[in-house]
Amino acid sequence: MLTDLENAMDSLITVYHKYSLVKGNAHSLYRDDLKNLLETEGPRYLKIKDADTWFKELDINSDCAINFQEFLILVIKLGVIAHHDIHKE
């Protein structure tokens, strides 16, 4: 049986692949893939920055794609925002 953290990790990987595999590359989210991911999985974060701004910020190696490591940077940023918001309530 997986722990809560292990389940959370599996969920993150599943979400990444749900959008990266649209174009057949399990290792890359392209600009429109990231936009679709954010619109579907985290629309409240598009109120903070638009999808293009998120993409430019995350594409660290400037290859016009978000690899899994770059995606994890998004997860950290969104996690910090969510954690902050929970404590405001």
Side-chain angles (χ1 to χ4, degrees), residues 12 15 34-55 57-58 71 73-86 88-89:
L12 290 172
V15 168
L34 181 66
K35 182 179 180 196
N36 291 335
L37 184 153
L38 289 168
E39 287 174 346
T40 305
E41 309 291 342
R44 72 180 179 146
Y45 303 110
L46 288 173
K47 294 176 184 171
I48 297 166
K49 297 177 191 174
D50 64 27
D52 193 54
T53 302
W54 281 113
F55 189 89
E57 189 175 307
L58 296 169
F71 173 72
I73 295 168
L74 174 67
V75 171
I76 291 167
K77 289 175 180 276
L78 301 185
V80 169
I81 293 166
H83 184 256
H84 180 266
D85 289 350
I86 284 173
K88 283 198 304 191
E89 297 173 0

